[in-house]
C-alpha cells in the first residue's frame, strides 16, 4: 500500500486526528461551565446544558431535572455570544476533521497529498484552529446571561465566573485548537512527498 506522506506526514496525520477529536469532543460535551442550582450540579456547553429547572404541577414547585440535552431551538441558546460561538466553533471543528480525514487517507493512497496540498491543508488547519480559538474567546461574553447567573449565585458577569468554574471540555476544545494551529500547521509543511516528474 503506497503512501503519499513522508514519515513526518504520518505524524502530522495522527496528530491532526488527535487535535480534531479533542476539539470535536470538547465542543459537543456540555461541560464548558460548571455550577450549582438548587443544590444540584449544573453544566453548560455552547449549545447544550445539563440539569435545568422545570415546573412540577403536582407539587406546585420548581424542581431540577437532572439530564443533559440541547436547547430546543437555536434562539433558545441563552446569549447571542454563545450562538456565535456555537457556529464559529462548529465550523472550525468541521475544518479540522476534514483535514484530519484527508491526511489519514494520504497514508493509504499514493499521490493524494503533495507538498503543496500539505501546505494548503496546514493553512486550513490554522484557520480551523483560529475559529475555535475565537469561539473560546467569545464564550465568557455570555456569562452575564440570566441562566448562567442563576447557576453562579447571581454573581457572574462577562469574564467573571462568580461561584462557577470552567469545565474540562472548554480546556479540551482550546487545547485541540492550539495544537492544530501551532504543531499541525508546522508539520504539514513537511508532510507531502515531492511529486514525481513524468516525461511526456
Amino acid at each position: 500500500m503506497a503512501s503519499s506522506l513522508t514519515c513526518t506526514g504520518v505524524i502530522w496525520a495522527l496528530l491532526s486526528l488527535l487535535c480534531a477529536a479533542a476539539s470535536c469532543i470538547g465542543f459537543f460535551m456540555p461541560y464548558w461551565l460548571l455550577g450549582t442550582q438548587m443544590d444540584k450540579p449544573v453544566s453548560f456547553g455552547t449549545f447544550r446544558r445539563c440539569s435545568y429547572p422545570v415546573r412540577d404541577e403536582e407539587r406546585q414547585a420548581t424542581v431540577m431535572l437532572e439530564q443533559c440535552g440541547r436547547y430546543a431551538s437555536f434562539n433558545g441558546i441563552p446569549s447571542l455570544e454563545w450562538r456565535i460561538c456555537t457556529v464559529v466553533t462548529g465550523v472550525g471543528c468541521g475544518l479540522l476533521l476534514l483535514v484530519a480525514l484527508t491526511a489519514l487517507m494520504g497514508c493509504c493512497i499514493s499521490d493524494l497529498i503533495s507538498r503543496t496540498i500539505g501546505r494548503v491543508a496546514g493553512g486550513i488547519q490554522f484557520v480551523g484552529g483560529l475559529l475555535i480559538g475565537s469561539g473560546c474567546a467569545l464564550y465568557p461574553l455570555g456569562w452575564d446571561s440570566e441562566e448562567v447567573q442563576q447557576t453562579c449565585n447571581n454573581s457572574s458577569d462577562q469574564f467573571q465566573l462568580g461561584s462557577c468554574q470552567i469545565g474540562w471540555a472548554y480546556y479540551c476544545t482550546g487545547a485541540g485548537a492550539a495544537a492544530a494551529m501551532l504543531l499541525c500547521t508546522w508539520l504539514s509543511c513537511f508532510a507531502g512527498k515531492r511529486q514525481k516528474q513524468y516525461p511526456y
Side-chain angles (χ1 to χ4, degrees):
M1 200 161 35
S3 171
S4 59
L5 297 175
T6 61
C7 290
T8 306
V10 173
I11 295 168
W12 167 68
L14 295 174
L15 190 62
S16 295
L17 183 65
L18 193 65
C19 292
S23 290
C24 291
I25 288 168
F27 172 58
F28 187 72
M29 290 294 166
Y31 304 110
W32 283 40
L33 184 66
L34 310 173
T36 56
Q37 190 174 346
M38 296 169 63
D39 297 325
K40 302 284 185 190
V42 177
S43 60
F44 296 92
T46 60
F47 63 98
R48 298 180 74 212
R49 175 181 174 155
C50 288
S51 298
Y52 47 91
V54 292
R55 184 79 180 156
D56 188 346
E57 294 301 331
E58 287 181 19
R59 290 190 276 177
Q60 292 294 309
T62 302
V63 295
M64 289 299 285
L65 187 62
E66 294 184 75
Q67 64 182 34
C68 299
R70 289 183 314 225
Y71 288 99
S73 68
F74 187 70
N75 288 330
I77 295 173
S79 69
L80 173 65
E81 292 86 3
W82 282 14
R83 286 179 218 139
I84 296 168
C85 176
T86 299
V87 172
V88 166
T89 308
V91 170
C93 286
L95 290 175
L96 291 190
L97 205 55
L98 177 70
V99 172
L101 294 176
T102 304
L104 283 178
M105 284 193 296
C107 292
C108 307
I109 302 170
S110 62
D111 298 331
L112 178 66
I113 298 179
S114 63
R115 283 269 166 109
T116 306
I117 291 174
R119 289 175 180 156
V120 169
I124 293 170
Q125 283 180 310
F126 187 83
V127 171
L130 199 61
L131 287 171
I132 296 169
S134 301
C136 290
L138 277 171
Y139 191 71
L141 292 171
W143 293 349
D144 63 347
S145 68
E146 188 180 341
E147 279 190 41
V148 176
Q149 287 183 338
Q150 287 170 353
T151 303
C152 303
N153 290 333
N154 294 312
S155 56
S156 69
D157 202 354
Q158 292 184 345
F159 294 98
Q160 292 180 2
L161 281 170
S163 63
C164 290
Q165 59 186 8
I166 293 174
W168 65 267
Y170 181 85
Y171 293 117
C172 186
T173 308
M181 281 178 68
L182 302 173
L183 281 175
C184 293
T185 301
W186 176 66
L187 287 173
S188 70
C189 296
F190 314 103
K193 290 180 179 174
R194 291 189 188 278
Q195 284 188 312
K196 296 171 188 172
Q197 299 298 320
Y198 296 103
Y200 291 105

